[in-house]
Amino acid sequence: MTETSLNIAEDDPVLGTDFAVEMVRQMRALDAYGTLDNHSAAQVLDPFILTKEQKREVPIIGDPDEIVVSRVKSFYNAIAALIESECGLMAVPTINLTHEGFGRALITVGRLVVMDKTLRDVHRFSFPTLSKMKDEADKILSVALEIVGEYPKAAGL
Amino acid sequence: MTETSLNIAEDDPVLGTDFAVEMVRQMRALDAYGTLDNHSAAQVLDPFILTKEQKREVPIIGDPDEIVVSRVKSFYNAIAALIESECGLMAVPTINLTHEGFGRALITVGRLVVMDKTLRDVHRFSFPTLSKMKDEADKILSVALEIVGEYPKAAGL
């Protein structure tokens, strides 16, 4: 991965948001072999971004490898961490994947399911831009907080 | 597996309960190769039962194989099916296991987590008797229904 091929600019302002900071933290947390140690934030998050052209090159059918799965986990772990810091209650992510890349992602707060997503084609998991990725996370976050607000007792408030 | 080695008697009255009938149905559902086609209910459920002596023979540390994992799934699927038939709302089981046999089993009803169990040593998943297995399922079922009763709106009632 050379600098020039990055889909995220090193000075992208989105890299300074809570979401991106948490994403980088989660990616480093799952990076058992330290392969990301010398990577900048833009480099760490770059694999999440595939342009339309790049995505077209990924085969439609494929098994997700460990690296892609850890990306999916980082994404939902980061969202869970943001939910937690917003509402002050523990948010637990659960990712359930078959070998074929289908599955379910759940985030629970207390007795409450605050996110429930069906996962498909996980080997193609990506976003067109960093800002679209943040939008998706923000959407999930705000729905989750709404659900906690609606059922505060079940969430443990 | 010869008849004489079974831990469940062919005429065990527990085999006639809703739980056991559902368990057998779930085991057959996951039996893609039809290996259980000629098995009686007692034979199908027998692998769930390990006497103290038999359990002692299972190594403490071990990776769960596909057969054990499908047993764990059958167990929680059956409980989910019973929850569903009791409260009339869809109950969705999610089993999340690492290769080492650790993980989490969840059952959700609507937005509500009605069961949340940490799984450990899945390769040793078993019960001392069929009746103890049913007791465990009954306990989970009654707690789940209690939670639905407590938060009916979150469950979707």
Side-chain angles (χ1 to χ4, degrees):
Chain A
M1 187 165 54
T2 58
E3 284 275 349
T4 51
S5 74
L6 288 188
N7 284 322
I8 303 175
E10 289 286 352
D11 59 354
D12 190 324
V14 177
L15 288 172
T17 60
D18 285 354
F19 168 69
V21 170
E22 187 59 44
M23 276 301 310
V24 172
R25 189 179 298 149
Q26 293 292 340
M27 282 294 281
R28 294 201 196 277
L30 293 178
D31 175 40
Y33 301 109
T35 51
L36 301 177
D37 285 358
N38 298 315
H39 283 39
S40 68
Q43 284 173 321
V44 170
L45 298 185
D46 192 64
F48 286 92
I49 313 304
L50 291 182
T51 62
K52 240 184 182 171
E53 292 67 38
Q54 288 169 329
K55 193 161 180 178
R56 211 174 289 143
E57 283 165 34
V58 182
I60 300 282
I61 293 170
D63 290 354
D65 57 19
E66 221 182 296
I67 298 177
V68 176
V69 171
S70 84
R71 256 180 244 149
V72 176
K73 285 185 182 166
S74 296
F75 182 67
Y76 292 109
N77 285 354
I79 296 174
L82 293 179
I83 294 172
E84 204 166 311
S85 73
E86 285 283 336
C87 72
L89 295 165
M90 201 166 83
V92 184
T94 307
I95 314 285
N96 203 5
L97 281 179
T98 65
H99 290 292
E100 295 84 27
F102 286 79
R104 200 172 165 218
L106 283 174
I107 300 179
T108 58
V109 176
R111 296 225 158 275
L112 210 52
V113 180
V114 296
M115 188 206 75
D116 188 349
K117 275 210 173 298
T118 303
L119 301 176
R120 253 179 269 264
D121 299 327
V122 162
H123 70 292
R124 288 157 61 91
F125 184 77
S126 64
F127 302 88
T129 64
L130 180 61
S131 134
K132 289 244 166 82
M133 181 174 167
K134 184 183 178 301
D135 286 351
E136 173 70 14
D138 282 347
K139 221 164 54 189
I140 296 173
L141 178 64
S142 77
V143 171
L145 295 174
E146 216 173 273
I147 295 170
V148 171
E150 203 171 335
Y151 307 107
K153 219 179 117 216
L157 272 176
Chain B
M1 188 166 54
T2 57
E3 285 274 350
T4 51
S5 75
L6 287 188
N7 285 320
I8 303 175
E10 290 287 349
D11 60 354
D12 189 324
V14 176
L15 288 171
T17 60
D18 286 353
F19 168 69
V21 170
E22 187 59 43
M23 276 301 310
V24 171
R25 187 180 300 147
Q26 293 291 341
M27 282 293 282
R28 295 202 196 277
L30 293 178
D31 175 38
Y33 302 109
T35 51
L36 301 178
D37 285 358
N38 298 316
H39 283 39
S40 68
Q43 284 173 321
V44 170
L45 298 186
D46 192 64
F48 286 92
I49 312 303
L50 290 182
T51 60
K52 239 183 182 171
E53 291 68 37
Q54 288 168 330
K55 192 161 181 179
R56 211 174 288 144
E57 282 164 34
V58 182
I60 299 284
I61 294 169
D63 291 354
D65 56 21
E66 222 181 294
I67 299 178
V68 175
V69 171
S70 83
R71 256 179 243 149
V72 175
K73 286 186 181 163
S74 296
F75 181 66
Y76 292 109
N77 286 353
I79 295 174
L82 293 179
I83 293 173
E84 203 166 312
S85 74
E86 285 283 336
C87 70
L89 295 164
M90 200 166 83
V92 185
T94 306
I95 312 285
N96 202 6
L97 279 179
T98 65
H99 290 291
E100 295 83 26
F102 287 77
R104 201 170 164 218
L106 283 175
I107 300 178
T108 58
V109 175
R111 297 224 158 276
L112 210 52
V113 179
V114 296
M115 187 205 74
D116 187 350
K117 273 209 175 300
T118 302
L119 300 177
R120 253 179 269 263
D121 300 326
V122 161
H123 71 292
R124 287 157 63 90
F125 184 78
S126 63
F127 301 88
T129 64
L130 179 61
S131 135
K132 289 242 166 85
M133 182 176 168
K134 185 182 177 301
D135 287 350
E136 172 70 14
D138 283 347
K139 221 163 54 187
I140 296 173
L141 176 65
S142 77
V143 171
L145 295 174
E146 216 172 275
I147 295 171
V148 171
E150 204 171 335
Y151 308 107
K153 218 179 119 219
L157 272 177

